[in-house]
Amino acid sequence: MDCDVKDLGLAQKGRERIEWASGEMRVLALIRERFQKERPLTGITIGACLHVTTETANLVETLFAGGAEVALCASNPLSTQDDVAAALCEETGIEVYAIKGEDNETYYRHINSVLDTRPNVTMDDGADLVSLLHKERQDQLGEVIGGTEETTTGVIRMRAMAADGALRYPIVSVNDANTKHLFDNRFGTGQSTIDAIMRSTNLLLAGRTVVVCGYGMCGRGVASRAKGLGAQVVVTEVDALPALEAAMEGYRVMPLREAARIGEVFVTVTGDTGVIRREHLELMRDGAVLANAGHFDVEIDKSALAELAGGAVRRIRDFVDEFTFADGRRVHLLAEGRLVNLAAAEGHPAAVMDMSFANQALSVEWIVKRRGTLDPEVHPVPAEIDAEVARLKLQTMGIEIDALTKEQEEYLRSWEQGT
Ligand code: ADE
């Protein structure tokens, strides 16, 4: 099998960890069983650019069970779990191109290796594969039926492509499914980001001031988990509505220039560039810790940090770089400013990725069934798929719910009754 992974000797460990995650991914397991019988993806080649984790392994094995050929590369240079890459490469028919810590050139070479398989369906997390395909390999665009996008940042990029008239095939925005962003972004990012900060620093969060920049679904998750551990949480926002929600949830809301002076741990989760800038770094307390949980490493100005430290930088722990400023203050950057939850921990837990990846698998099946009929736009996940994922997740959790009575159904359809 064509692969570029760190060490095939890690395969056994990877296999065991993939199996552990599969126990938490019961919805995906149901889909895999059906795919095995029906083989709806026969004849399809899928090019996937995703974080190479135990959860992703379960997804690509599901697609493979459905009859697809699959090639996988990393969607971030630091998020690959090398044992998982080795296991997938050694034991399944999946091509894997991913090594944790790969440089930018290798990262793009790996995406090109996936594109060399001439995929009919693309699966992206951050839109790097789709963007490379549109910019540099346009001759292949005619072979692509459609694609999916996993994350907020990627969906924003794809919508920008569509608005420019540049998008050449249909994309399903998995991120927009309720069973994705209300759970993965909130509970997944919330838990895994705090997990990464704790694993890499072993700091006590109780009593500490944690500043969360951005109060979207991911920010909400991080803020609520930090609060649950006893942190004093400050939220910064640029949008009035989420700022108001944060204030009414009981968080202190203030501009970053004020939060910069009091924060002890900062987490950026905005999806935008240049959030923590030189003017903020200059105000920070000695020992401040900076982490980014947004998709790209653009939220914290790393060049400003380097300039302020003027070379006084050392790796003090795994995933912790200490920058010492001229006046002796130290600021710590986690995971080089890259997605901290995937770089310094294991990403979202499998039980939540179960729903995200169930949406991925069912959306690919939906795209393949509609080959040639979808416009080259960003399409929502069909409501039936979203509802089915919610229903199956409850079922696998052993949770039953009530049903409307006939009278209630009629009441909801009527307008005559009032006060
Ligand atoms: N994105 C966030 N967490 C993830 C995980 N565990 N696997 C794949 N993609 C992810």
Side-chain angles (χ1 to χ4, degrees):
M1 190 43 62
D2 281 339
C3 284
D4 188 16
V5 301
K6 185 170 179 204
D7 176 6
L8 284 177
L10 300 170
Q12 171 67 15
K13 181 173 167 235
R15 175 53 44 202
E16 284 158 5
R17 292 181 59 249
I18 293 168
E19 191 186 319
W20 174 259
S22 81
E24 293 283 297
M25 303 183 85
R26 312 305 307 167
V27 177
L28 202 57
L30 292 173
I31 296 170
R32 185 155 58 232
E33 273 165 33
R34 179 171 66 77
F35 274 16
Q36 239 145 15
K37 280 190 221 124
E38 298 176 7
R39 309 276 290 172
L41 308 179
T42 302
I44 297 295
T45 298
I46 299 178
C49 180
L50 301 170
H51 302 299
V52 180
T53 64
T54 53
E55 293 73 31
T56 297
N58 278 283
L59 170 63
V60 294
E61 286 176 359
T62 302
L63 302 170
F64 190 71
E69 300 286 330
V70 187
L72 171 67
C73 62
S75 58
N76 185 293
L78 263 191
S79 62
T80 298
Q81 298 173 1
D82 289 316
D83 55 344
V84 171
L88 281 176
C89 172
E90 200 175 73
E91 294 166 34
T92 59
I94 293 162
E95 292 185 27
V96 188
Y97 303 94
I99 299 173
K100 187 172 178 110
E102 61 197 15
D103 58 22
N104 239 38
E105 193 196 323
T106 312
Y107 176 75
Y108 277 101
R109 179 160 47 78
H110 284 162
I111 297 183
N112 270 311
S113 299
V114 166
L115 290 175
D116 287 343
T117 65
R118 305 197 80 88
N120 319 109
V121 172
T122 62
M123 196 173 256
D124 228 327
D125 186 333
D128 279 345
L129 182 135
V130 169
S131 147
L132 186 72
L133 183 58
H134 279 73
K135 283 194 293 210
E136 291 177 22
R137 304 187 56 150
Q138 293 169 353
D139 59 306
Q140 286 180 234
L141 285 167
E143 298 164 24
V144 184
I145 302 169
T148 60
E149 171 53 53
E150 168 77 5
T151 201
T152 319
T153 296
V155 171
I156 291 171
R157 292 177 84 192
M158 305 254 186
R159 289 222 163 90
M161 285 176 79
D164 266 358
L167 187 64
R168 296 272 301 280
Y169 60 83
I171 295 285
V172 173
S173 61
V174 169
N175 185 66
D176 293 335
N178 289 321
T179 47
K180 199 280 185 181
H181 70 270
L182 294 179
F183 299 88
D184 165 315
N185 301 27
R186 186 159 40 151
F187 304 114
T189 309
Q191 178 168 321
S192 60
T193 299
I194 298 296
D195 177 17
I197 294 170
M198 297 200 310
R199 281 194 208 195
S200 55
T201 64
N202 199 26
L203 285 181
L204 180 71
L205 290 183
R208 213 170 280 263
T209 302
V210 174
V211 178
V212 179
C213 305
Y215 200 65
M217 277 301 152
C218 296
R220 276 157 223 250
V222 175
S224 95
R225 269 40 191 162
K227 186 177 179 179
L229 285 167
Q232 296 179 23
V233 179
V234 173
V235 169
T236 72
E237 247 303 333
V238 291
D239 196 338
L241 189 68
L244 192 55
E245 286 182 274
M248 295 212 183
E249 286 288 344
Y251 300 113
R252 294 176 68 196
V253 179
M254 62 183 78
L256 186 51
R257 65 171 184 281
E258 281 172 39
R261 292 181 191 280
I262 58 172
E264 295 173 285
V265 176
F266 294 80
V267 185
T268 52
V269 250
T270 71
D272 208 345
T273 192
V275 178
I276 297 187
R277 303 183 291 272
R278 187 183 176 114
E279 72 239 44
H280 306 117
L281 296 169
E282 280 170 344
L283 300 172
M284 284 183 186
R285 296 162 59 143
D286 180 37
V289 169
L290 313 182
N292 166 52
H295 187 79
F296 289 117
D297 59 340
V298 295
E299 306 208 14
I300 300 169
D301 188 344
K302 293 197 274 183
S303 355
L305 256 181
E307 274 164 34
L308 284 164
V313 185
R314 62 174 175 151
R315 180 145 298 176
I316 188 162
R317 283 170 66 100
D318 287 349
F319 304 111
V320 185
D321 290 333
E322 181 184 80
F323 293 75
T324 305
F325 298 170
D327 62 2
R329 272 176 308 139
R330 293 155 306 164
V331 170
H332 300 110
L333 178 66
L334 305 191
E336 300 167 27
R338 295 196 189 274
L339 266 177
V340 74
N341 57 334
L342 280 138
E346 292 172 64
H348 304 354
V352 84
M353 291 311 295
D354 189 24
M355 287 191 277
S356 312
F357 285 168
N359 277 295
Q360 283 280 7
L362 296 177
S363 294
V364 168
E365 182 185 31
W366 185 81
I367 290 167
V368 169
K369 271 196 190 139
R370 278 154 195 79
R371 176 196 288 244
T373 65
L374 299 168
D375 289 332
E377 286 163 8
V378 178
H379 298 260
V381 171
E384 322 77 83
I385 292 183
D386 209 355
E388 175 72 352
V389 172
R391 193 186 64 74
L392 289 175
K393 188 67 186 176
L394 278 178
Q395 181 188 310
T396 61
M397 291 169 83
I399 297 173
E400 289 182 40
I401 56 173
D402 292 321
L404 293 175
T405 62
K406 281 235 149 22
E407 187 198 358
Q408 286 175 314
E409 275 177 12
E410 260 165 42
Y411 182 82
L412 291 178
R413 274 198 303 268
S414 69
W415 55 272
E416 293 93 341
Q417 292 181 55
T419 311

